[in-house]
Amino acid sequence: MTRFNQSALTIAVLAVLLSAHEAKAQQYLIGGSAGLATGLAGGGGATSVLERARTRLRVAVDLRVDEFPKDIFVVGMVAELEPHASFGLDLRYMRSVSKKIDLNVGAIGYIFPESLIGPVVGLDYHLVVGGVELVAGPEFNVFFLGTDLPSDSVVWQALLQVGVHFGL
Amino acid sequence: MASRRPVLLVLFALSSVVALVVHCKADECLRLSDCGDGLTCVDGTCVDAGGDAPADAGKADAGADARRADGAVDAGRLDANEHDASLGDARLRDGASADVEHGDSPADGSRDAHATDGKRSDAPLDEAGKVDGAPDSGAREDSGVHDAARD
């Protein structure tokens, strides 16, 4: 190969490399949310009871990949504020079914001062008002494990949650 | 106009929850932590676990007293049965009936004893006072039966 040919090949390679666009890397999209919830709680053993559910504060972080923006994974901290306090965590898989509606399913567990564990399903409706993304929707929990349950008892909660969502 | 619909839905849901919550009772419990210290949740109601125990203990004591009284009666019956062969059916019947009354109500028993048998009244009175002590009551019953036998 002549020197001319070598130079031409080098220029061609450099031209290709310099003209190529940078490959777009997979991006993680992280968001946060905070909301208050209350509603009804029921269940019990032989005698069914219906009462107001404890007011709950939930702060969560959601993670999605830009290649699959409809699949969202959420980790949240939940704290019941009144009339009795407790603290716990939840893990959820959220699926966007439209631009404004997300469905989620997962598990929620209170761990302090007593434990209470069960599945959770919910719906979030996103509404942007004045540049703020509001989130509201129902949520349904069933607790069938934990030291806070009376014997032979299951507790359910039907909550309405209202909060805000923001990007991080 | 269309953007107001979700807001109205949320407001409606909030008001519905509030309305339902207002009608719920406040003194019920679903979780153990709904109840205060020393209380436990049973069938949707907070009950005093510590309070129940003494009440049960009281009942147990009452039962024990009853058993002691029964024991005294049994002791009396045994004594009466022991004297059955020597004293006869009449003595046995008197002794057994007096013991039963002592077991149920010592005072009534003593009144009955007074009413039926003047001499035997002293022994049942003492027995009624010491109904817990089965051996003593048996001994007293023995003396009562012997007194009755002397009659």
Side-chain angles (χ1 to χ4, degrees):
Chain A
M1 183 178 288
T2 64
R3 180 169 295 182
F4 174 78
N5 288 339
Q6 289 178 347
S7 300
L9 181 59
T10 302
I11 292 171
V13 169
L14 288 175
V16 168
L17 290 176
L18 292 176
S19 63
H21 293 288
E22 184 180 353
K24 191 175 182 181
Q26 190 180 56
Q27 279 190 317
Y28 292 102
L29 304 176
I30 303 175
S33 63
L36 284 171
T38 188
L40 297 174
T47 304
S48 64
V49 175
L50 183 66
E51 66 179 20
R52 182 175 69 86
R54 300 180 183 184
T55 303
R56 188 194 71 185
L57 171 66
R58 178 171 181 264
V59 178
V61 175
D62 56 82
L63 176 69
R64 76 184 83 185
V65 179
D66 59 349
E67 294 176 353
F68 308 100
K70 292 184 177 181
D71 297 318
I72 309 165
F73 297 91
V74 187
V75 178
M77 293 183 298
V78 289
E80 291 177 321
L81 304 178
E82 62 83 32
H84 300 280
S86 64
F87 175 80
L89 299 169
D90 68 6
L91 295 171
R92 305 188 193 201
Y93 166 73
M94 187 180 290
R95 175 77 178 178
S96 292
V97 295
S98 73
K99 289 181 68 176
K100 292 186 175 181
I101 297 178
D102 296 336
L103 298 178
N104 64 76
V105 60
I108 184 172
Y110 293 96
I111 54 177
F112 180 83
E114 300 289 344
S115 62
L116 203 61
I117 301 169
V120 53
V121 294
L123 182 150
D124 288 343
Y125 184 86
H126 297 258
L127 180 67
V128 178
V129 178
V132 178
E133 184 180 0
L134 301 178
V135 181
E139 179 181 314
F140 191 76
N141 308 321
V142 178
F143 299 102
F144 55 85
L145 290 175
T147 60
D148 204 13
L149 279 177
S151 59
D152 300 328
S153 179
V154 173
V155 172
W156 57 262
Q157 290 179 332
L159 307 176
L160 178 64
Q161 180 172 258
V162 178
V164 294
H165 181 267
F166 44 87
L168 296 176
Chain B
M1 193 65 181
S3 63
R4 290 183 181 177
R5 190 176 302 166
V7 177
L8 292 176
L9 281 174
V10 170
L11 291 176
F12 173 76
L14 278 174
S15 59
S16 299
V17 168
V18 171
L20 285 171
V21 162
V22 167
H23 285 85
C24 293
K25 296 178 180 177
D27 58 346
E28 294 177 333
C29 63
L30 280 171
R31 294 153 61 172
L32 297 177
S33 57
D34 286 338
C35 302
D37 291 339
L39 300 177
T40 186
C41 184
V42 177
D43 289 337
T45 306
C46 292
V47 298
D48 188 353
D52 283 344
D56 292 338
K59 291 177 183 176
D61 289 343
D65 291 338
R67 285 192 295 273
R68 284 197 295 270
D70 290 342
V73 170
D74 291 341
R77 283 177 179 167
L78 283 174
D79 291 338
N81 288 334
E82 287 172 0
H83 290 282
D84 184 16
S86 60
L87 298 177
D89 292 339
R91 291 301 108 203
L92 170 61
R93 186 167 56 247
D94 288 344
S97 62
D99 287 339
V100 169
E101 288 163 357
H102 298 162
D104 293 337
S105 173
D108 291 341
S110 64
R111 278 198 301 271
D112 290 344
H114 280 289
T116 55
D117 190 346
K119 288 189 177 181
R120 288 180 63 239
S121 63
D122 289 338
L125 264 179
D126 292 341
E127 182 183 1
K130 298 183 179 181
V131 67
D132 290 346
D136 289 344
S137 68
R140 301 288 176 138
E141 180 58 28
D142 287 345
S143 65
V145 170
H146 283 303
D147 289 341
R150 282 195 297 271
D151 292 340

